[in-house]
Amino acid sequence: MKTDSKPIIIAVDGFSSSGKSTMARRLAAAIGYRYIDSGAMYRAVTLYALDHGFISADGTPYSEAIISSLHDINIDFAIQADGSQHTMLNGVDVEKEIRRLRVSNAVSPVAAIAEVRHALVAMQQALGKSRGIVMDGRDIGTVVFPDAELKIYVDASAETRAQRRFKEMIEKGAAVTYEEVLANVVHRDHIDTTREESPLRRADDAISLDNSTMSLEEQDAWLLDQFNKVMSR
Ligand code: DC
């Protein structure tokens, strides 16, 4: 690696539960960059909407109500003693709350609202101003940072991803079945790839990674290798 290298922006995009957050977080820690989970921001807006009755019983968001509340929604990340980050919604730690199935089930339609995306994309771009970040999401390499020096697109089958997510949720004590988790993954994939506003797609200059059969260590090594290649250019 060149010692005079300027910090870069690393975009990690992919389907839900593709393991992209874990890999982005680990890469950021290994290279001393800041990690930003853009999905957490969409989840925080969704939690706000749920708590304010802005989502109907059948999961349809009341877009107008959400849009006019955007200026009342402040999202931040608080760094913990162990280095992890907790999502803060209007000053309250909502890290646990935004991971619950209640939010997971409601988030995709909220993330499909153009005005919500515009507001969050602007926040994400501001967070990347000083570079030296790894951000994961769906549109980071295509919309948020089209000039990111390193773009990774993570791919894995819906079954593999559902299996991983199911295991994670069971370990956290959630009462869910594999079928429920798979249905949620497939449903979210559909909304994320077919929405009109910046759907999930691979940026032309992104490097694809199918991590279905990779161990965490193999994944870390592969990512570090990609990073070092960019830095030595
Ligand atoms: O990565 P995740 O599962 O926490 O993302 C939650 C939702 O937010 C998911 O429906 C996709 C959406 N999202 C998005 O549209 N754009 C991003 N940059 C990040 C997440």
Side-chain angles (χ1 to χ4, degrees):
M1 198 193 306
K2 281 191 279 185
T3 48
D4 61 346
S5 301
K6 291 214 170 67
I8 64 166
I9 291 187
I10 303 174
V12 182
D13 287 304
F15 285 112
S16 63
S17 308
S18 57
K20 63 185 183 321
S21 301
T22 305
M23 78 172 67
R25 190 180 301 115
R26 289 169 68 101
L27 175 63
I31 62 179
Y33 276 24
R34 181 165 185 205
Y35 163 66
I36 294 161
D37 174 359
S38 69
M41 300 166 82
Y42 289 93
R43 288 171 177 271
V45 172
T46 305
L47 177 63
Y48 182 96
L50 282 166
D51 288 348
H52 286 77
F54 296 161
I55 298 185
S56 74
D58 71 357
T60 309
Y62 300 120
S63 302
E64 291 311 318
I66 296 174
I67 294 163
S68 51
S69 298
L70 282 172
H71 61 271
D72 294 329
I73 302 177
N74 181 46
I75 301 166
D76 211 347
F77 294 99
I79 299 173
Q80 308 299 297
D82 65 357
S84 67
Q85 297 189 50
H86 281 194
T87 310
M88 309 293 288
L89 170 62
N90 292 336
V92 178
D93 185 337
V94 292
E95 189 55 39
K96 264 208 183 126
E97 202 66 32
I98 60 167
R99 309 290 165 193
R100 295 195 207 285
L101 207 53
R102 165 179 181 245
V103 172
S104 300
N105 283 336
V107 65
S108 284
V110 174
I113 302 170
E115 289 83 350
V116 169
R117 301 204 69 80
H118 296 161
L120 294 190
V121 166
M123 283 178 61
Q124 290 150 10
Q125 288 171 335
L127 287 166
K129 264 238 152 70
S130 46
R131 308 185 87 78
I133 60 160
V134 184
M135 190 178 289
D136 79 320
R138 304 292 190 288
D139 59 344
I140 309 306
T142 52
V143 176
V144 183
F145 297 118
D147 63 342
E149 291 85 349
L150 177 59
K151 299 179 186 179
I152 310 289
Y153 185 81
V154 194
D155 223 348
S157 73
E159 288 73 18
T160 304
R161 289 182 284 121
Q163 198 56 257
R164 276 192 202 136
R165 181 133 194 88
F166 174 61
K167 193 168 160 260
E168 250 172 48
M169 294 182 86
I170 291 296
E171 279 166 9
K172 286 183 189 158
V176 287
T177 65
Y178 167 74
E179 286 70 26
E180 278 172 330
V181 177
L182 179 63
N184 177 258
V185 164
V186 170
H187 181 61
R188 280 206 282 161
D189 285 1
H190 178 73
I191 302 181
D192 293 345
T193 51
T194 58
R195 70 177 175 224
E196 246 174 63
E197 186 72 23
S198 47
L200 169 65
R201 70 168 183 85
R202 197 181 81 85
D204 295 335
D205 52 349
I207 305 167
S208 290
L209 168 68
D210 182 341
N211 63 353
S212 303
T213 60
M214 266 183 168
S215 69
L216 268 185
E217 292 69 25
E218 284 168 339
Q219 201 173 265
D220 289 346
W222 184 89
L223 280 165
L224 207 54
D225 194 37
Q226 304 305 320
F227 172 72
N228 287 331
K229 274 187 193 150
V230 171
M231 296 307 272
S232 60
R233 265 187 213 148

